[in-house]
Amino acid sequence: VEIVRALYSAMEARDVRRVGELARSDIEWIPDRRVGAGPIRGRDKVIEFFTDRASMFSEIHPEVEQVRERNDQVLVFLRVAGSGSASGAGFEIRIAHLWTLRDRKLVRGQGFGNRNEALEAAGLRE
């Protein structure tokens, strides 16, 4: 859990170096299906994906609302707030990420716009 919490702290600080330290070189990220992107493989490509997304916002603050562990997986419910870089308009969304870890490194992540789908993917129930 501490590795996943460190990830969100690094992401909020836009500390790419620290994010890279937390992930294996062969990490895979599967974005929420509504994003329209397929699986992204490799630390540099995953960091590039998140950096590109973050560049759309002048401010972005991920807040971990709940964390659940099961075996080598960590399910995180997030509240993400911020404002767009072009419009300055504020936003707030609630999403979920499911992370798989090996040897204290992130090896796989998957994004969900629907928390129930995330619970199901993790083999958990509300």
Side-chain angles (χ1 to χ4, degrees):
V1 171
E2 78 238 21
I3 292 165
V4 172
R5 287 189 186 277
L7 171 69
Y8 292 108
S9 292
M11 290 172 91
E12 183 171 16
R14 299 183 188 217
D15 184 347
V16 174
R17 182 192 59 77
R18 179 68 177 134
V19 170
E21 291 171 353
L22 297 168
R24 282 183 26 163
S25 62
D26 61 345
I27 188 172
E28 176 182 53
W29 172 254
I30 301 168
D32 176 25
R33 70 181 188 282
R34 290 164 277 245
V35 172
I40 299 157
R41 293 179 180 90
R43 180 178 20 217
D44 292 341
K45 294 287 185 187
V46 170
I47 289 172
E48 180 181 327
F49 173 84
F50 279 103
T51 302
D52 286 349
R53 294 299 184 267
S55 71
M56 292 186 245
F57 308 102
S58 58
E59 289 184 53
I60 188 164
H61 306 286
E63 176 190 333
V64 175
E65 293 185 313
Q66 184 180 14
V67 177
R68 296 177 70 177
E69 288 182 87
R70 182 168 187 238
N71 302 322
D72 63 349
Q73 293 188 313
V74 178
L75 177 62
V76 182
F77 289 160
L78 296 161
R79 176 187 161 274
V80 182
S83 57
S85 352
S87 68
F91 72 93
E92 178 180 304
I93 59 172
R94 285 189 156 74
I95 58 174
H97 291 161
L98 178 61
W99 295 102
T100 303
L101 290 93
R102 286 202 191 92
D103 301 322
R104 299 186 51 79
K105 295 275 188 180
L106 301 161
V107 295
R108 185 174 189 273
Q110 186 169 0
F112 296 90
N114 180 300
R115 291 179 174 194
N116 288 328
E117 289 175 12
L119 283 165
E120 185 177 317
L124 299 168
R125 295 185 184 204
E126 208 48 290

